């Protein structure tokens, strides 16, 4: 079973990479309101794997990151 996990910084927390990308885009004439830089993790796991537990225990820091599973 293929699964994609999108991991982003939580709202309200500093995202230095996102801020740097936003500033670069603005300096180059692109109008952007916000940029978040995160991670994409593609997994190929056995059917029946508890994806949520796997993600919460091993892939994200719940204090500073949020995620979605596709």
């Amino acid at each position: 079973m293929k699964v994609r996990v999108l991991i982003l910084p939580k709202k309200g927390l500093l995202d230095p990479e996102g801020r740097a990308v936003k500033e670069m885009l603005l300096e180059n004439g692109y109008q952007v309101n916000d940029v978040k830089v995160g991670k994409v993790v593609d997994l190929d796991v056995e059917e029946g794997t508890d994806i949520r537990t796997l993600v919460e225990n091993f892939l994200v820091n719940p204090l500073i990151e949020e995620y979605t599973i596709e």
Side-chain angles (χ1 to χ4, degrees):
M1 171 174 73
K2 295 190 183 219
V3 177
R4 175 167 283 171
V5 182
L6 305 173
I7 303 169
L8 293 170
K10 283 187 173 181
K11 284 189 176 189
L13 294 181
L14 294 177
D15 179 7
E17 288 179 271
R19 184 175 176 190
V21 171
K22 179 182 175 182
E23 289 175 7
M24 182 269 307
L25 291 171
L26 290 171
E27 288 172 5
N28 285 282
Y30 294 95
Q31 295 300 313
V32 295
N33 295 322
D34 193 25
V35 176
K36 284 189 174 187
V37 174
K39 300 177 269 188
V40 174
V41 180
D42 286 326
L43 301 167
D44 190 355
V45 297
E46 296 293 321
E47 284 290 330
T49 300
D50 185 350
I51 301 299
R52 190 164 307 283
T53 299
L54 183 152
V55 170
E56 291 177 358
N57 288 336
F58 300 105
L59 299 180
V60 300
N61 179 341
L63 297 176
I64 62 171
E65 295 173 319
E66 57 190 16
Y67 67 93
T68 56
I69 298 171
E70 298 180 344

